[in-house]
Amino acid sequence: MGEFGIGQPVPRLEDPRLLRGEGEFVDDVRFPNEAQAHVLRSPRPHADIRGIDMSAALAYPGVLTVLTGADVEADGLGAIPNIVPRNRRDGSPMFVPPHTVLAVGRVRYVGEGVALVVAESAEAAAEAADLIVVEYEDLPFVTGTAAAVAPGAPAIWEEAPDNNAFFFELGDKGAVDAAFASAARVVETTFVISRITANPMEPRAAVGRFDRRDGRWTLYANVQHPHTVRGIICSGILKVPEHRLRVVAADVGGSFGMKGMVHPENVQVLWAARKVGRPVRWMATRGEGLLGDAQARDNVSTARLALDADGRFLALHVSTLVNLGAYLSIYGPHCGTNNVGGLVGVYATPHVYTDVVGVYTNTMNTGPYRGAGRPEAGFAIERVIDVAARELGLDRAELRRRNTIPPDAFPYRTPLTFRYDSGEFEKNMARVLEISDRAGFAERRAASRGRGLLRGFGLANCIEMAGPAGVDETMEIRLHPDGTATVLVGTDAQGQGHETMYSQYVNEFLGLPPGDVRVVAADTDVVARARGTFGSRSSCVGGAALKEAAEIVVEKGRRVAAHVLETAPDDIEFDDGVFRVAGTDRELGIREVARAAYRLGALPEGMEPGLGAVRTHVPPASTYPNGCHACEVEIDPETGVVEVLSYHVVDDVGRAINPLLVRGQIHGGVSQGLGQVVVEQIVYDEESGQLLTGSFMDYCMPRADDIPDMEIEHNDVPTTANPMGVKGVGEAGAVGALPAVYSAVTDALSERGIDDFDMPATPQRVWRALRRANA
């Protein structure tokens, strides 16, 4: 309440200790007698392993053990599972490749782990790994998404000879086909969503410990979902009860979905720790991260839009190939299928149908990355609208306005399962066009042209599903006898500012100042139950569970206060941390009530001592953050360099818990979407299967001077899906930025007659496209 409550721009409580270097990341957690692990990775994209000579490595000074796929089999370790089941085209269950923690018999992508060397030092482990001789027999391979399903493409798995992993469809195909048959105009576009990787500030790292006294492991790792990771490792890989493994993730320096996977190294350090009887540490180099972190996106799509004579949308059909890599991450099929409902966008299109094919390739597996399918879906609808506007000779904003869902249509049931409860989509777009001065763009374009530069304006509406319905979260509040509180939260932070947000919630619900609140998360021995952080759900689902727990605390506190003040519980009012007898000045602060709650003589008969509560909230409906983005770029045709000049956002995240955190989340998401469109791309060489972007010399990351100042405004329309009215914000920026920045780039290129251009818009690729157009 007051300066710390909901809606206040409270500076991040986490930042002072992090800026002082007092965070607790995996590299800060040290144990006596640690051993170091190094992974020998395959240099071949597809090959049988005919033999492994480890003799020189085992004899190297300081080496404790060398483990291979043969040891995986001998020790009975299970495979990393896929937990998002899908079916083949004939309806049978999809084939799930056995993803073992080290390759068994065959490697299927460059970077796959072949051997694990454990030694006294990281240097000794790496040097010994260089002495291992692996005999490979090369096999045909394929790395490209479309190439994987071309006739004659080599099969990655015998069980999937056409490289098709699954077939997924959603929507009414018959109605869509009929609408296309009767349409006055049909437009079509094919596009590529490039492959990227997360590159978090803190690379992946893990330390495994095994205590022979009680047969328990502990994994210290910068994972995104400690409880999920524990469950998967115990049930499917180590095959032990969950109480035998503790997972701890204190501070985590970025994840964006990637660290939500169960990577092989998380298991390798646990396995090796038991083998050598010592703690085992592994930390990725940046090169290892580019090779072995779960990657993302990598789609090839065709979008078709049917319109009537007045430019009204009749139907949309989107077909997509999704590159899954050689194996499935635990959420492998998720991004290409679970969020396709976003294809509808903010538009009143009567009929929508989509079909998705997941394909295997000789590449690292893919998984969720900020937005997890939402940016790809938003890109599809926004891109085909831009194409339609060009072909019909209509203004892009006007075509969108004609088809936007009006405010009086809510709640609005879309053709693809979503149910929007609230929003002001047209207002968002009108405002972003105003603050970006779209009316003055022609004059700015002419000025750029006079300097020999190409200028483009990009526009994109966006909407996503957040805090999915039915996916529960648990929160616990413990008030101590002195009136301070420990809050055990089920969602784990990787930089989002959860400590600040949850402290603001507690201040709002219980009146405690942030200094009296300790937030604890990401330790499976301390937090009893948790789903974790994903899908922009912490503020809406976690917050709702926290509110319900606080209400139980208040109700119990009301009974304690009534007993102490000798009145009926119904006479007690609670506000801003004070229990007061209605209509009087008799009151007790929450500190006094907490103290009384631990004194047996101060409690009503039959009441348990203590003041706390645990609540699991199951959201009855999803939320739908939305907004509109506008972007302006300039391109130098002599060099191909793209400069993003300005960026404007009007967002609707429901009720903003902390405007500073909201702005930071939007800024970060936009930066990642911009990075993908302009510079980022994972590239595998089609001829050799090698990763060509194996360092930051080749994989370009956006820098501070690549990101423009952003003007961000809020049009908060509270949701009815939770009592706080919160819609979520973590992924919204990336959802809007991908289509908006691309729209600006292609608008600039259209001045030279270039209508088709696939991301990323690197200087080389833009320069070549302009030269081809000139020719």
Side-chain angles (χ1 to χ4, degrees), residues 60 65 90 222 271 309 410 511:
Y60 193 81
T65 189
D90 64 6
N222 48 13
W271 178 38
F410 296 103

Side-chain angles (χ1 to χ4, degrees), residues 282-299:
W282 172 84
M283 187 164 200
T285 63
R286 188 59 67 183
E288 279 187 294
L290 287 160
L291 272 173
D293 290 351
Q295 296 165 1
R297 315 285 199 231
D298 202 345
N299 300 349

Side-chain angles (χ1 to χ4, degrees), residues 298-317:
D298 202 345
N299 300 349
V300 178
S301 296
T302 296
R304 300 169 63 236
L305 182 65
L307 305 95
D308 67 14
D310 296 321
R312 303 284 182 182
F313 301 165
L314 300 176
L316 173 70
H317 177 198

Side-chain angles (χ1 to χ4, degrees), residues 447-629:
S448 296
R449 193 180 294 125
R451 300 193 306 273
L453 303 175
L454 309 176
R455 195 177 190 109
F457 184 92
L459 180 68
N461 287 306
C462 60
I463 192 166
E464 57 163 327
M465 179 182 68
V471 183
D472 61 88
E473 193 50 83
T474 302
M475 296 282 174
E476 180 177 356
I477 300 173
R478 298 176 186 169
L479 260 73
H480 307 296
D482 63 356
T484 62
T486 296
V487 180
L488 296 97
V489 305
T491 64
D492 320 302
Q494 303 89 42
Q496 298 94 329
H498 286 185
E499 184 178 331
T500 305
M501 177 188 72
Y502 286 129
S503 294
Q504 287 185 258
Y505 270 139
V506 173
N507 178 257
E508 182 80 15
F509 303 150
L510 296 178
L512 295 178
D516 287 350
V517 179
R518 177 173 178 251
V519 176
V520 177
D523 184 336
T524 58
D525 269 12
V526 178
V527 178
R529 187 173 186 274
R531 287 282 191 173
T533 300
F534 56 91
S536 301
R537 65 193 296 273
S538 298
S539 61
C540 48
V541 183
L546 191 59
K547 187 176 191 300
E548 291 171 4
E551 288 170 350
I552 295 173
V553 169
V554 169
E555 182 55 35
K556 185 173 182 180
R558 184 178 282 114
R559 293 170 59 199
V560 173
H563 184 73
V564 173
L565 295 172
E566 299 180 336
T567 187
D570 290 345
D571 292 336
I572 299 293
E573 299 174 338
F574 178 77
D575 182 57
D576 199 15
V578 176
F579 295 88
R580 180 179 295 107
V581 179
T584 76
D585 59 358
R586 299 172 62 215
E587 63 184 34
L588 291 174
I590 194 168
R591 288 176 179 271
E592 297 168 286
V593 171
R595 190 176 301 112
Y598 284 88
R599 297 200 313 267
L600 293 180
L603 293 175
E605 185 177 351
M607 178 178 284
E608 293 274 346
L611 192 58
V614 181
R615 280 295 295 171
T616 296
H617 175 75
V618 182
S622 304
T623 72
Y624 296 93
N626 60 87
C628 190
H629 294 223

